[in-house]
Every structure is written in C-alpha cells, then in structure tokens.
Amino acid sequence: MRIKAILIFLVSITIGIHTQTLSSQTTQDYFNTIRPEYSGELAFETTSFVEKYWRVAGNTGFNETVYFIEKHLKSAGYVLEADAKDSDRFVYRIEERPMKRPTWEPVSAALSFAGSNEVILNQETNRNMVYLNSTSTPIGGIEAEVVHIGDIKDLEQIEVKGKIVFAEMSARELYQTAIVEDGAIGLITYNNPSYLQPEKNKTSIQFRSLRYNKEFPVWGIALSFEAKERLLSELEKGKVNVKVDIQTKIYPSTELTVVANIRGDKLPKESLVFSAHIQEPGANDNATGVGAQLEMAVLAAKLVKSKKIEANRTLTFLWGDEIISTRRYVEEKEKRTSDINWGISLDMVGENTAVTGGSFLIEKMPDPSAIWTRGNDKHSEWGGRVLKEKDMKPHYLNDFIINVFMQQGKHANWEVNTNPFEGGSDHTPFLRADIPSLLLWHFTDQFYHTDNDRIDKVSQETLKNVGIGALVSGFTLINGDVHFAEELKGTILKAAEERLKAEFELSTASIKKGNSKADEIKILTTWANWYQDAIASLSDLISESDVEFQYEIRKGQKLVGEIASDYSEQLKSL
C-alpha cells in the first residue's frame, strides 16, 4: 500500500510539472520544429560521398571528407574561426597536426594462384583484402609458396623463410614470429567472427590492420569465407604457390579535425559536444555518423539564425579520428572557449536493419545494468566487461536521451533499444574525464567492419530518425532551465520506479530459486543509490542559489529511497 501511495504521488508530480512548463519550450516543441526540417537528404548525400573512400587519418579519403564538411558548413553560414568577429555565432576551425607515423591508403591488390588466371581476391570487389599499413609488393607482384599453420607453435617445426604464412587467426599474433623472427615475406589470414554470418556472407572481409614498423615492412591479406575455402581446398591437394600483387601508399601527412560551434547566447561557457569519427572504410561505420551530424550542424544553424530555436549554451560538432580527436578536444582546454557539460557520440547511425540485422541502440552511461545484466538488459555481440560500483556514472542523461528517442520511435514506428555500457567509441574520452556522455549506434550488424558495408546497407529514414532525436536532445539540453529540470525530475522518478519494480520482481524470483537475499537486496540498493545520484545531477541545470529546487531534489531522492526500502523489506520477508 505504501508503494502504491508513492506511485500516486509520482503521477501527481508529473501532472503538476506539465502545467509549470507551458512558458518554456518543451521537448515536444523542438520535435514540432525539427521534424519538418530534418529530411535526412544531406545526411544520405554525405554518407554516399564519404563511403566511396577507404579512410584513415591523413589519407586522401579522410581529408576529402573534411573538405566536404567544410564546404557545407560555409554554405550554412559558419565562419572560419581565424576570420570570425566577436559577434559571429557560427564558427568553425580545422585543426592540423603533423602525424608521428605516416598515413596509408590502398591503391590496388590481387591474389591469384600462380601460373593460372584464377583470381582468388581482387580489391575492386573486396576493398578490405589488404591489411592497413601493408607495404607494396614489387611491381608486377610476387610469387611464393603458401604454408598453412594451425597454431603459432607450428612455426617451431616449419620453415617459412621466403614463404607466405596462412593461418586462421589475427595477423598481429603472427607478425613477430613469422615475419620478424622467421623471415616470412607476407601473411594471409582468415578470422571473421560468427556474428558476421560468414557462411552466408561468403564474400565479406572484415578489415584488419598491422602495426607500422619501418624496420620490418610487411604486407598482409585478409580472406573472405569463400576465398578461405578455395585456398584450403587447393592446399589439401598439395603444394600451393600464389601470386600477390599489392600497391599501397605510405607517406607523411597531417591529421585534420573539424570543430564547428554555435556559440551560446546566454551561457556560452557551457556546451554540448556531438562527435562523429571519419576514419574506417565503411558506409554505416562511420560515414553515417559523419553525414547525420553534418545535416544536424547545417539545420541547427538555420534554425538559430531564423530565431525558430534559441541556443542559450554552446552547441559543438566535432569530426575527426575516433577517440583520438575526441580525447584531445576534452584534454586541450586552452583551445576551447566552453566547458563541456555533455557529450553525445554518433557511430553507425544509419542502418537499414532489414538488411543488416540488429537495431538502433542507445549505449547508456555506466549504470548497474553493466554490473548485473539481467531481465530486459542485454549486451550487444560487441560485449562488455563487468563493471564495479566505483565505475558507475549516475546522471539524468541516460533516461533523458532514452525518453526522447522513445518518443521519436513511437512517432516514426521505429525500434529503439538500449545496451549497458561497453565502450570503444567517442563517448569514452568524455566519460574518462567525468563528463556525462553516451553513444548512439546500431548492432548487431552482419556487415560490421566488412567490405560489404556499403551504401546499399544505409537507410535515409534511419538517418532522419537518429538526426531528429539527437538534435531535439541537443537543443533541449543547451536551453535547459529550471522548468526543464522540474520536468526531467518527473522523468527520472518514473524511470527509477519502473527500474526498482523490475529489479524487485527479478530478485523475488531469484530468492525463490534459493539465491542469497543479501545479494539481491544489494542489487536493489545499488540501483536506488544510482537513481538518487542521478536526481542530484539535475542541479547542473539550475542556479546554485535555487534553494527551492534543491529541496525538490532532496524530496525526489527520499521518494526513491522509500520505494527501495519497502521493496527490500519485502525481499527480507520471503
């Protein structure tokens, strides 16, 4: 009965909040303004342009992408920062850094059986066949015997000097022993993971890389399932010689990063940062993130200039080398004019899931689902390590973003799911600096990191849905005030109640199976603590002198504590 009374009170809070926010722009107001304007056309056009290139920092495709972004930013009214006046609100810069190591790009490649016209692989149809950082073979190619090994230990018994080593494992495991120590001239590998469905997607090759080593240059070829089976079939018949013809470019270059800002009108020293990485050769990964974010930046400028939407805090858009550029942006405070309040990463955001599989996901900031993954929570096939309580990042950003995207999902009949924190993209540098941040992405994708990740796997409608959800989230946050904080408190309280109820039910079932009551109560208590701290984080949206709202925060925390306490008592009595 006590929990029921608390829930009735929560509903009354939400109803009361609705009347308080009529004087402020609500999330729905931003939806109403942005939905008719964000078509996904520029996002798709950009994706189509970018995915043509094999992109790594400093190479032709990476740099051409930067100049494409710059062209559209300038057309939208962004001014080069070096030329901008103090009154200019829309500015951008291209940061240039000499690279410690040379950049790389593929030119051409073919693998065939020696003395035959039978081609096993050709880069024209398998753009990922050559390992990143591979050197060129002599002009006209090179012929050598293929030696198949099942394990690195096999190299202790097999002579491979002047030969090509073939193994079903990562080339990184082979490089030191086979190349540096034993004198092999090249590597051929196969190791496509099962989630790529290689026996179905027989021509897919997941891109691979070698560490650049000037002293021991080497080339490597990755095989598709189909190519691997053909090579194995020939090896079963006896000795196999192949011809390898690889041409690549390795040269000194400059790393570029694009930073575009819409300077805040009232609180310019506070900001939200959207980030999308350029490197990697695919369409969904991550030409879609580049494209979705570019249309967001162009539309945001249009809406602010036309005064349809305000920008009280600064809105930043960052394009660069995954994690590296974002980490530097976070660390190089002297190059920023604003502190970072929030970070949102766009990575693989345009999938046609009817073709690729999986669904759109919001990867949450670390919460207890990354410690105890159960119920409706599940990791993606990417996977994630089990976190500890000290790793938790309690904040309202999780439930706020989930709520916004669920609204867009309902509106567009579009599936939206979440996964516990896993890491590995541009949200991690923010989190390491204790800046609230999460990831917008898709998984599982049966073409992830493969040369079949092309424009035919991209959906303009998905780009549109993600772009709308991200931009609505961004404007709501940068214009957030006490009215928004009050509304958001209701969202967090509702999410806390739903989570605690779900965990109570899971713990009840667990205890009835004979598991420890203490362990189950610990899970419930950890979630309660997380949500109490998430409610406390609302204080970053209001003035420190707002005593009344600070009281509302404490009241919300007390409610969460009471719900958790009641559930805990019920668990103890089982």
Side-chain angles (χ1 to χ4, degrees), residues 339-550:
D339 291 328
I340 306 169
N341 297 57
W342 314 273
I344 299 176
S345 173
L346 287 82
D347 189 353
M348 301 170 62
V349 295
E351 308 237 346
N352 180 347
T353 55
V355 177
T356 63
S359 77
F360 173 73
L361 293 170
I362 299 167
E363 180 166 309
K364 301 181 292 180
M365 294 175 60
D367 69 8
S369 69
I371 305 175
W372 302 282
T373 306
R374 61 184 194 168
N376 291 329
D377 288 308
K378 64 177 183 178
H379 278 289
S380 75
E381 285 76 358
W382 176 270
R385 65 182 177 88
V386 177
L387 300 187
K388 299 179 180 179
E389 284 186 71
K390 66 180 179 62
D391 302 317
M392 296 297 94
K393 301 287 185 183
H395 200 270
Y396 60 78
L397 188 64
N398 272 4
D399 288 300
F400 166 68
I401 297 292
I402 292 168
N403 186 46
V404 170
F405 274 84
M406 287 297 183
Q407 290 182 59
Q408 180 61 17
K410 183 177 180 180
H411 171 82
N413 192 28
W414 170 55
E415 184 180 358
V416 173
N417 290 301
T418 68
N419 66 277
F421 176 78
E422 295 174 354
S425 192
D426 280 316
H427 57 317
T428 53
F430 294 106
L431 290 169
R432 287 174 184 146
D434 271 338
I435 297 168
S437 182
L438 44 68
L439 171 67
L440 308 177
W441 73 314
H442 283 79
F443 223 65
T444 296
D445 174 355
Q446 61 183 304
F447 306 107
Y448 171 66
H449 277 184
T450 77
D451 41 20
N452 280 319
D453 178 14
R454 303 307 304 270
I455 194 66
D456 61 314
K457 312 304 188 304
V458 175
S459 163
Q460 182 173 324
E461 190 65 20
T462 303
L463 286 167
K464 176 181 174 181
N465 284 324
V466 175
I468 290 170
L471 202 52
V472 167
S473 299
F475 274 121
T476 305
L477 288 168
I478 66 169
N479 293 326
D481 56 12
V482 67
H483 299 294
F484 169 58
E486 289 169 347
E487 183 178 15
L488 189 50
K489 188 186 76 170
T491 299
I492 304 303
L493 285 171
K494 185 173 184 295
E497 181 275 318
E498 291 174 351
R499 170 59 71 170
L500 292 174
K501 182 174 183 292
E503 295 298 330
F504 168 73
E505 291 171 352
L506 289 167
S507 291
T508 298
S510 179
I511 290 170
K512 288 180 178 179
K513 290 179 181 178
N515 293 317
S516 165
K517 290 182 182 180
D519 289 346
E520 297 302 323
I521 291 170
K522 171 70 171 177
I523 296 172
L524 194 71
T525 301
T526 304
W527 270 110
N529 293 340
W530 193 93
Y531 266 108
Q532 286 177 322
D533 289 342
I535 292 169
S537 71
L538 292 166
S539 61
D540 70 14
L541 291 166
I542 62 171
S543 167
E544 293 181 3
S545 61
D546 193 332
V547 178
E548 183 178 347
F549 190 73
Q550 294 291 350

Side-chain angles (χ1 to χ4, degrees), residues 131-202:
Y131 268 70
L132 170 64
N133 289 326
S134 287
T135 57
S136 299
T137 60
I139 298 295
I142 188 171
E143 293 186 8
E145 181 184 353
V146 175
V147 177
H148 185 209
I149 66 167
D151 189 275
I152 290 181
K153 291 182 179 179
D154 293 347
L155 294 171
E156 297 174 5
Q157 309 297 327
I158 301 174
E159 174 63 47
V160 297
K161 187 173 182 179
K163 300 177 183 179
I164 300 168
V165 174
F166 166 41
E168 296 182 43
M169 65 180 72
S170 168
R172 290 177 179 238
E173 299 178 55
L174 293 170
Y175 176 78
Q176 179 63 33
T177 305
I179 302 296
V180 177
E181 297 174 12
D182 294 350
I185 62 169
L187 303 171
I188 295 177
T189 67
Y190 173 81
N191 61 330
N192 279 353
S194 60
Y195 61 75
L196 295 179
Q197 303 178 49
E199 295 185 26
K200 170 188 170 186
N201 301 311
K202 295 182 179 182

Side-chain angles (χ1 to χ4, degrees), residues 235-248:
L235 284 165
E236 286 177 1
K237 300 174 186 177
K239 180 180 176 181
V240 174
N241 281 26
V242 296
K243 179 179 179 180
V244 178
D245 190 351
I246 296 173
Q247 299 304 312
T248 65

